[in-house]
Amino acid sequence: MVPKPQPDFAREARARAAEMSEIRRKVHRYPELGFEETETAKLVAAHLAKLGFEVSGAVARTGVVGLLRGGLPGPTIALRADMDALPILEQTGLEFASERPGLMHACGHDAHVAITLGAAHLLAGYRQELRGSVKFLFQPSEETPPGGAAAMIEEGVLDNPPVDAILGLHVNPHLPVGFIGVKDGVTMAAADNFRVVVRGRGGHGAAPHQAADAVVAAAAVIQGLQTISSRLVDPVVPVVVTVGTIHGGYKANVIADQVEMHGTVRTILPDLRQQMPETMQKILDGVAAAYGCKIDFDYLRGYPPVENEPAMVSLLVEAGKLITGPGRVLKIAHPSMGGEDFAYFLQRVPGVYFYLGAGKQEGPVYPWHHPQFDINEEALPVGAAVLAQAAWTYLQGSPGRSEE
Ligand code: NI
């Protein structure tokens, strides 16, 4: 049998760059929050339908699934894109900036939609030759736990046909365009949240001895929680406790009877994650006793760690090299303490989550969730080509695979 020539996804993707940029800008202009992505979903579904895919809408409320059935039997690989925006007032000044004040695609999920639709176009061109299927998962609500991934899985997106492997990516403004970053094993942390309410006894600001000051107790709570990483956990083991909000008090000369705080806990090791509520509770109990307050504590489990499968990492590295050229696929040494609900997919099927370089050539780099966050759109064709190439290699086997 004469082997089919390898598709040149890099070249084909470059030819579609303008189209991808147009999709990204359209999505960017009309951002939607988690589980409200109705217009984005409509746009996605229309593209997938035009390609002749089997399309399911309203998956996990606002998600969309497109199935490309190849001409030959084989396994199924899924490509996932998240679609939600953030409650941020955009300050980029871009010509295609958000037209919804207070809502912004400040995490690049607009790019993820455009890239994954780009990959859908590329792979659709090889439908007859495909040995298996590609399932495109457009997911609602990545930003807010419990997130859309778990809900999609619950609705069966990994079944019928069963998904054998999965790929996901995130644009990275800190990585130059044309580069890929990927890590074996755990690549992102478990992300849990907590709520602490300190209940004291109010009183006059000039007579603290007649009150139980919730503000002073809250200060002790914050300081105490920081000693988990500095004093209680092995210094080479990553752990973050962040108190992100604090609210309490009424007036300068009134002792507050209540302070409420919300925060996040990030861990990599499962045992440490398991212990965190108990460790925090001990500190809270100590503060409550010392300061004569009552402290309520809720610990809410969030996304599990994102754990890449080594064989899928190798597949991605090979696909990445083919598209971006030698020396442009970087192995990341340390996990990020960020969280991602792609983790739920990886708990069910082997896969890889990687970073796509989207750094701008000049000007300051604004991080994710910044009101001036932006990406280099040259990343769009690179991302689409890498996804298409990795899916193609997975389904067809490596170029050297012998024919049965
Ligand atoms: Ni994101």
Side-chain angles (χ1 to χ4, degrees), residues 80 82 84 86 106-109 112 142-143 169-171 188 339-340 353 368-369 373:
R80 175 270 208 171
D82 43 12
D84 54 328
L86 287 155
C107 200
H109 300 187
H112 301 167
E142 183 280 323
E143 296 286 357
L169 61 74
H170 209 296
V171 287
M188 288 176 99
E340 235 296 344
Y353 189 76
W368 295 287
H369 296 202
F373 174 87

Side-chain angles (χ1 to χ4, degrees), residues 148-398:
M152 285 188 102
I153 294 168
E154 205 142 289
E155 293 192 15
V157 300
L158 295 180
D159 315 313
N160 193 31
V163 170
D164 299 286
I166 188 161
L167 305 171
L169 61 74
H170 209 296
V171 287
N172 187 339
H174 306 288
L175 193 63
V177 80
F179 284 78
I180 302 283
V182 64
K183 186 181 173 303
D184 276 317
V186 175
T187 186
M188 288 176 99
D192 298 331
N193 287 330
F194 65 88
R195 171 176 169 267
V196 171
V197 183
V198 180
R199 299 181 198 283
R201 228 173 34 255
H204 198 292
H209 57 294
Q210 292 168 350
D213 191 340
V215 165
V216 174
V221 165
I222 296 166
Q223 298 289 359
L225 293 177
Q226 296 315 310
T227 64
I228 295 174
S229 65
S230 66
R231 302 292 90 177
L232 300 178
V233 172
D234 186 334
V236 300
V237 172
V239 54
V240 178
V241 179
T242 290
V243 176
T245 73
I246 176 162
H247 292 103
Y250 310 98
K251 198 174 183 301
N253 63 353
V254 176
I255 286 177
D257 60 353
Q258 183 172 314
V259 173
E260 180 163 347
M261 295 176 277
H262 292 251
T264 188
V265 172
R266 305 298 169 99
T267 50
I268 301 288
L269 298 183
D271 287 355
L272 178 59
R273 184 186 189 199
Q274 206 53 44
Q275 285 164 18
M276 283 304 286
E278 198 187 317
T279 306
M280 293 171 74
Q281 185 70 62
K282 275 188 199 159
I283 291 168
L284 299 176
D285 289 347
V287 170
Y291 293 80
C293 293
K294 200 178 156 294
I295 299 182
D296 298 339
F297 176 46
D298 300 308
Y299 191 93
L300 312 156
R301 295 259 173 225
Y303 303 156
V306 175
E307 190 161 2
N308 286 339
E309 160 82 23
M312 291 299 293
V313 172
S314 304
L315 174 91
L316 192 272
V317 168
E318 289 316 307
K321 278 184 194 163
L322 239 137
I323 300 302
T324 62
R328 288 175 166 248
V329 180
L330 311 177
K331 278 298 199 76
I332 299 168
H334 301 293
S336 143
M337 298 307 276
E340 235 296 344
D341 72 346
F342 191 73
Y344 290 114
F345 294 118
L346 292 176
Q347 283 187 331
R348 293 283 304 271
V349 291
V352 55
Y353 189 76
F354 64 98
Y355 290 109
L356 176 70
K360 304 198 112 182
Q361 247 85 33
E362 51 195 45
V365 174
Y366 296 105
W368 295 287
H369 296 202
H370 189 282
Q372 285 168 273
F373 174 87
D374 190 22
I375 60 147
N376 185 336
E377 286 188 343
E378 286 170 35
L380 304 176
V382 179
V386 171
L387 286 180
Q389 181 63 50
W392 173 264
T393 307
Y394 181 83
L395 295 178
Q396 312 306 101
S398 61

Side-chain angles (χ1 to χ4, degrees), residues 65-81:
V65 178
L67 181 65
L68 165 61
R69 282 191 200 270
L72 300 164
T76 299
I77 187 163
L79 309 184
R80 175 270 208 171

